[in-house]
Amino acid sequence: MKIDRDRLRLILLGAFFWAVLGVFTFRLVQIQIVDGSYYLAQQQKGSSRTQVIKAARGEILDRNGSPFSYNEPCYNILFDRALTSSDADNETILRLIRLLRESGEPWIDNLPLVIEGDVPAFSGDDTAVSRLREHLETNTYALAPDVFYWLCERYGLRDYPMQDARDIGAVRYEMERKGYSLSTRYTFAEDVSLETAIYLRQIVHTLPGVEVAETAKRAYRDGGLAPHIVGRVGAIFADELEGYLSQDKGYTREDLVGKEGIERTFEPTLRGTDGVRRIDLDASYHVIGIEEERPAIPGNSVVLTLDKEIQRTAAEALEAEIKLLNETAPAGEGREANAGAVVAIDIKSSELLAAVTYPSYNLETYSADYAGNAADPLYPFLNRAFSGIYAPGSCFKPVTGIAGLAEGVITPETRVNCQHVYTFYAPGYQPTCLGWHGLFTVTDALRHSCNIFFYDTGRQLGIARLNEYARALGLGSPTGIELSEASGTQCNPDTPFPGDALQAAIGQLDNGYTPLQLANYCATIARRGVRTRLKLVKSVSSYYDWTDVMQAPESEVLSDLGLPESLYDPIFEGMIQATHDPRGTAYSRLGNYPLTVASKTGTPQTREFPNSTFICFAPAEDPQIAIAVVIEKGWHGYTGAPVARKVLDAYFFPGQGEEAEAGAEAGAETEAGAETEAGAETEAGAETEAGAETEAGAE
């Protein structure tokens, strides 16, 4: 019995052995034969990494689909840590620098240190130098030779000639600042030529870690037309980085983001969703497989309400008028004109058609021109159309007229006797009007821009009520446009000087508004008191088809004075007569225009020379477009009228140019002397004189 048990144990043990051997044999066959190719690939596969596929940025277009900013293919040279066995290869960096230098290509070099002769010296601003000292962990007062020494120590550069050590150190320094690692590639050079890209791709196998990548760069078409509105893209600043990274939208420190204008305000819309692909590498870091895990989705495009042709016409007309004044106007009476703005609005849709600032800059040459523009005392970077604040001068008088009619202070038949001097506060403050107009109604006073009539109306209304109506009509109130804008200023209603109401009534004192507000105010008058939100963005559309609208802002009424439409009739008539009556202040420039234009000129006093302000809308019977023109130191209000005329032509007679002006030359010559007649001179002289007396006399 014992022998039987031993034999049984041997049998069981043998069976177990052969079973285990069978399992191992089966598994070995499966691994070696059935799944052999898979495990061979796994054995050869050294690693895999995830790579971000950058999404295309949405475009910015005008209302007709013509691009302001778009994407253009370019070639960048990158260092990829996954393609090399070391953090950085100094020899590879030096060879790449020499190759680019020979082909005349720039590379990214932000090191604030140069070699002058054989002596290191700092370059760049103090902030950059301090950042370098901090990075190299030197003391805060380390001199350039000491900083250079520690740069060489940090990156193993002591055996290189000084200039080569400096150049390699610049790249290594920037690599560390940008977080170069397995997951973050480093951009060594941007937008190299096609010839250089092709050559480098042929020899890239001899440059460990180097990759030539085809990507997209932001490009601008007509970059000088609306740079303040379109804006630009740039690197994320250090103080912005945390904010972008915390948004959980895939931002990296290498990304470009909107810095100003639409590019900045609509950054979330324009930015696409980056894609992801996995790259499998063997043990020798050769690519053995690429798989797209998530495709990149481009951003949406922003279609603006701007019309490029109207914008171009306005810009050219403003510049031409300023230069004409510089060449032909008398000294002290317009020759000093040097800056300005033009704004045009579609009255029906509340859409901004043009917004021009002069002087301006060009997005296509932003970097190259930056130093000169930044040093220019006229500061071309200032968006005068949205942020410039100007006294409106007599362009404010329609406010006073509307408020007077609405409050019952005057009627359409009320007459005020203008005998050159306003004597209500005699023998104290007695502001003047250049003319002796006699008995004038509100319509007559708008035609001639008579100060006396509006002094008297403003005195009875008071500053508080003038401010109330000005805000309701759009002066001193935000327009609601999508970009930042100045709010403007209004006169202090609590002034202890009663005479200040007189100056407030003719648009002087502390009245100060943007050209954008002036144009919107003009449009509100044309709508007979209905003020709407101004729109700059027409739609948000698909990247692939700008006519595929995804979002479109609707018009919005912000306020309505609710006055009878007939109340505006004398205001309309006065503004029409200012244009088409031979005695009107704008007749010499617009009197023969083929459409009925309602206008108002202004010559607000400043500390130096009077500015020129001009507003108009047309056609008066069915208003479609409102325009405001401001020329700094332009002196006469009517100097803005030729600019507005060109804009009207571009809107009503596109492409006809000279035909739209048929007969205008003869009419203009006929009226050449009209500028010195009572209508034009009255306004200019009266506002200048009145402005000079503003506070001294009142006090």
Side-chain angles (χ1 to χ4, degrees):
M1 194 69 182
K2 179 177 180 183
I3 297 174
D4 291 340
R5 284 200 298 271
D6 290 341
R7 182 178 297 170
L8 180 61
R9 289 194 188 100
L10 289 173
I11 293 172
L12 291 175
L13 182 60
F16 178 75
F17 171 78
W18 286 109
V20 171
L21 183 61
V23 171
F24 274 101
T25 302
F26 174 79
R27 185 60 180 151
L28 184 61
V29 169
Q30 185 180 38
I31 292 173
Q32 292 288 339
I33 299 175
V34 179
D35 297 328
S37 59
Y38 171 79
Y39 286 104
L40 177 62
Q42 291 297 309
Q43 183 272 330
Q44 293 174 338
K45 177 182 172 183
S47 63
S48 66
R49 69 179 179 86
T50 298
Q51 189 177 79
V52 173
I53 307 171
K54 301 306 295 182
R57 190 174 179 85
E59 298 181 334
I60 300 175
L61 315 169
D62 88 334
R63 67 190 297 116
N64 301 309
S66 179
F68 281 110
S69 64
Y70 61 101
N71 301 312
E72 189 174 81
C74 70
Y75 297 93
N76 292 350
I77 302 173
L78 309 174
F79 275 91
D80 193 330
R81 177 65 181 82
L83 303 181
T84 181
S85 58
S86 60
D87 289 339
D89 186 330
N90 289 340
E91 285 298 319
T92 299
I93 292 172
L94 181 58
R95 187 179 174 201
L96 200 54
I97 287 172
R98 288 173 175 171
L99 286 171
L100 289 194
R101 183 179 286 131
E102 288 172 4
S103 48
E105 300 274 8
W107 62 91
I108 296 173
D109 184 346
N110 295 321
L111 186 71
L113 194 67
V114 296
I115 305 300
E116 296 179 347
D118 290 328
V119 180
F122 289 130
S123 63
D125 58 35
D126 292 341
T127 302
V129 172
S130 297
R131 189 184 301 122
L132 175 61
R133 288 185 178 125
E134 181 180 352
H135 189 82
L136 297 176
E137 299 177 342
T138 68
N139 66 62
T140 56
Y141 301 103
L143 300 177
D146 296 326
V147 172
F148 180 70
Y149 171 82
W150 289 110
L151 182 79
C152 293
E153 285 292 309
R154 186 181 187 95
Y155 302 124
L157 303 171
R158 286 191 296 174
D159 295 332
Y160 288 89
M162 291 186 72
Q163 187 61 53
D164 288 347
R166 183 262 167 217
D167 291 343
I168 298 170
V171 176
R172 296 288 301 274
Y173 169 63
E174 195 69 13
M175 280 179 162
E176 287 191 353
R177 288 187 62 223
K178 295 295 185 181
Y180 177 58
S181 65
L182 276 170
S183 60
T184 303
R185 297 183 295 176
Y186 171 70
T187 302
F188 172 79
E190 296 177 313
D191 196 19
V192 300
S193 67
L194 177 60
E195 293 77 13
T196 299
I198 292 174
Y199 175 70
L200 286 175
R201 279 183 169 173
Q202 292 173 345
I203 66 167
V204 73
H205 63 281
T206 68
L207 298 167
V210 175
E211 178 183 353
V212 180
E214 184 173 354
T215 183
K217 68 174 182 177
R218 203 60 163 169
Y220 301 95
R221 188 171 299 166
D222 301 312
L225 269 188
H228 304 86
I229 292 174
V230 175
R232 63 183 180 89
V233 296
I236 299 175
F237 296 141
D239 58 350
E240 299 174 317
L241 184 59
E242 184 178 350
Y244 279 109
L245 295 181
S246 66
Q247 291 181 27
D248 194 27
K249 293 185 178 181
Y251 283 103
T252 70
R253 64 182 69 237
E254 293 181 318
D255 282 341
L256 299 179
V257 296
K259 308 304 290 187
E260 299 103 17
I262 292 293
E263 291 277 23
R264 179 180 177 87
T265 302
F266 283 80
E267 168 69 23
T269 300
L270 294 165
R271 177 178 171 80
T273 302
D274 292 340
V276 174
R277 66 182 175 186
R278 191 184 75 245
I279 299 178
D280 295 329
L281 309 170
D282 65 15
S284 299
Y285 287 94
H286 296 132
V287 176
I288 60 174
I290 298 177
E291 180 180 348
E292 186 173 87
E293 296 184 342
R294 186 178 71 230
I297 302 173
N300 293 323
S301 293
V302 176
V303 181
L304 303 182
T305 61
L306 296 182
D307 185 306
K308 269 194 177 182
E309 293 313 308
I310 296 178
Q311 179 83 2
R312 192 188 318 277
T313 297
E316 292 174 352
L318 179 61
E319 181 176 5
E321 182 66 18
I322 289 175
K323 290 182 176 178
L324 180 65
L325 289 171
N326 297 157
E327 295 169 0
T328 63
E333 295 186 28
R335 177 167 293 182
E336 298 77 13
N338 58 7
V342 184
V343 175
I345 294 172
D346 184 314
I347 295 172
K348 303 290 188 183
S349 64
S350 306
E351 293 177 349
L352 187 68
L353 297 173
V356 168
T357 286
Y358 180 86
S360 187
Y361 63 98
N362 195 318
L363 290 169
E364 297 170 76
T365 57
Y366 176 87
S367 297
D369 299 341
Y370 180 82
N373 285 331
D376 190 331
L378 293 176
Y379 201 59
F381 295 133
L382 173 63
N383 185 353
R384 286 174 163 82
F386 285 29
S387 301
I389 297 179
Y390 303 93
S394 290
C395 287
F396 188 87
K397 289 175 179 176
V399 174
T400 306
I402 292 169
L405 291 167
E407 295 293 325
V409 168
I410 59 171
T411 69
E413 294 77 30
T414 298
R415 294 178 181 271
V416 174
N417 189 12
C418 170
Q419 294 300 321
H420 182 61
V421 180
Y422 189 67
T423 59
F424 184 84
Y425 293 112
Y429 178 50
Q430 298 184 65
T432 63
C433 182
L434 190 63
W436 285 259
H437 297 127
L439 294 171
F440 262 12
T441 64
V442 65
T443 297
D444 300 326
L446 287 170
R447 178 187 66 228
H448 267 295
S449 199
C450 173
N451 283 349
I452 301 299
F453 185 94
F454 293 102
Y455 286 154
D456 195 63
T457 305
R459 174 186 61 80
Q460 297 178 71
L461 286 167
I463 292 177
R465 281 195 285 183
L466 285 171
N467 286 350
E468 178 185 345
Y469 280 87
R471 285 193 298 271
L473 291 167
L475 295 177
S477 298
T479 67
I481 203 159
E482 292 87 342
L483 297 185
S484 62
E485 58 175 320
S487 298
T489 59
Q490 291 189 303
C491 298
N492 180 7
D494 299 322
T495 175
F497 309 112
D500 282 355
L502 278 57
Q503 292 301 314
I506 64 166
Q508 291 283 174
L509 207 63
D510 294 327
N511 283 314
Y513 312 112
T514 67
L516 191 69
Q517 288 180 333
L518 288 172
N520 205 39
Y521 148 69
C522 186
T524 302
I525 293 175
R527 296 191 205 97
R528 297 181 182 257
V530 178
R531 181 170 66 93
T532 58
R533 182 181 299 279
L534 192 56
K535 292 187 290 186
L536 174 59
V537 174
K538 192 172 185 68
S539 67
V540 172
S541 302
S542 165
Y543 178 80
Y544 300 105
D545 181 3
W546 72 276
T547 63
D548 181 11
V549 176
M550 305 177 72
Q551 298 176 34
E554 297 181 357
S555 297
E556 179 184 355
V557 174
L558 297 179
S559 65
D560 184 349
L561 279 171
L563 301 172
E565 289 196 4
S566 59
L567 179 142
Y568 294 89
D569 290 344
I571 304 299
F572 272 46
E573 184 59 30
M575 296 178 70
I576 292 169
Q577 289 185 19
T579 308
H580 298 285
D581 189 299
R583 297 165 294 175
T585 57
Y587 179 75
S588 64
R589 300 300 197 274
L590 281 169
N592 62 350
Y593 200 74
L595 299 175
T596 306
V597 180
S599 72
K600 188 69 198 77
T601 56
T603 313
Q605 180 73 15
T606 70
R607 292 184 178 181
E608 291 185 280
F609 303 98
N611 289 335
S612 166
T613 57
F614 181 82
I615 59 172
C616 71
F617 62 86
E621 301 84 359
D622 181 22
Q624 296 179 40
I625 184 173
I627 303 168
V629 182
V630 174
I631 300 178
E632 295 181 22
K633 305 178 185 178
W635 191 266
H636 300 291
Y638 55 74
T639 59
V643 180
R645 182 174 190 134
K646 293 290 186 182
V647 176
L648 291 171
D649 287 347
Y651 182 82
F652 289 110
F653 311 107
Q656 298 183 32
E658 297 302 321
E659 288 124 15
E661 296 285 335
E665 293 296 330
E669 290 177 7
T670 301
E671 298 302 328
E675 298 166 28
T676 57
E677 68 171 62
E681 284 289 335
T682 296
E683 179 200 351
E687 290 180 327
T688 302
E689 188 171 346
E693 294 178 332
T694 299
E695 300 208 72
E699 292 175 13

